[in-house]
Amino acid sequence: MLSYPLNVPIIVVIHRLKNVESRLDEVLQHSTKIRIKEAEDKEPIVSNTIYLTPSNYHLLVERDHTISLSVSEPVNFSRPSLDVTFFSIGEVYGDKAMGIVLTGANRDGSNGLNYIHRNGGETIVQDIDEAHINVMPQSALLLTPESRQLKLQEIGKYINKIFPNEDGA
């Protein structure tokens, strides 16, 4: 579980069906005090917020720390694509970036995670044995074997350790 308040923003990229209305932000909001919202184009990125990438859009982070949404071609058959988001995060945040790859059925995220690592950022991959579908974590580890391999419950604790809030939690 992540501490509240959270001293960093989190961007979540989930492969979902195109053009299907979702209330994922509302459902997830019931389980945390951290603000959860669907990302909007040109929106400033702020701490203590979890941004969900909208269905059928790539999410990029701009140098002015705002969100940019794109309908450019799918990457690894995906839009949104983790690779697109990770490359932009690695470019903007460099050694302050963190990329996390969780369960999934394609190679999306592997190249972007490696880019974050090469730029000095932190990389985490969900434990392969725990992942419901382990293709994405396996692919990410093949390209970036230096990544920490953690179970889901360990990931939140690790984020809190790296980015403690004012209470040190």
Side-chain angles (χ1 to χ4, degrees):
M1 183 65 81
L2 291 170
S3 296
Y4 175 80
L6 184 63
N7 285 335
V8 294
I10 293 180
I11 295 173
V12 177
V13 179
I14 301 173
H15 299 155
R16 335 186 228 176
L17 296 173
K18 295 186 226 181
N19 306 317
V20 174
E21 189 172 329
S22 171
R23 302 241 183 256
L24 182 60
D25 55 341
E26 294 171 18
V27 171
L28 293 175
Q29 190 63 71
H30 292 291
S31 63
T32 184
K33 292 180 183 178
I34 299 167
R35 181 177 180 221
I36 298 177
K37 68 177 305 298
E38 192 160 287
E40 298 175 41
D41 196 42
K42 308 304 180 213
E43 176 177 16
I45 299 170
V46 297
S47 295
N48 203 43
T49 304
I50 298 173
Y51 298 92
L52 302 176
T53 303
S55 174
N56 207 28
Y57 286 93
H58 291 305
L59 185 148
L60 297 97
V61 174
E62 299 293 338
R63 290 212 174 274
D64 65 355
H65 299 252
T66 60
I67 290 170
S68 177
L69 299 177
S70 165
V71 290
S72 60
E73 291 300 312
V75 175
N76 291 312
F77 308 102
S78 301
R79 187 174 59 215
S81 165
L82 275 80
D83 277 332
V84 170
T85 300
F86 282 169
F87 276 111
S88 71
I89 287 172
E91 185 72 26
V92 171
Y93 291 102
D95 64 355
K96 296 189 176 19
M98 177 183 281
I100 302 170
V101 173
L102 303 177
T103 186
N106 70 20
R107 296 175 28 101
D108 189 33
S110 299
N111 291 319
L113 193 75
N114 186 264
Y115 185 77
I116 287 173
H117 172 73
R118 289 192 327 258
N119 282 284
E122 185 80 31
T123 57
I124 299 172
V125 174
Q126 182 180 7
D127 183 283
I128 290 173
D129 295 330
E130 181 188 68
H132 180 67
I133 302 171
N134 64 14
V135 176
M136 284 173 67
Q138 280 181 329
S139 178
L141 282 172
L142 281 173
L143 273 181
T144 313
E146 304 85 357
S147 296
R148 291 182 187 276
Q149 192 175 170
L150 300 173
K151 295 188 181 304
L152 284 177
Q153 294 214 345
E154 297 169 333
I155 293 172
K157 291 176 187 173
Y158 187 73
I159 292 171
N160 291 333
K161 180 177 144 189
I162 299 297
F163 304 107
N165 64 28
E166 294 83 37
D167 301 330

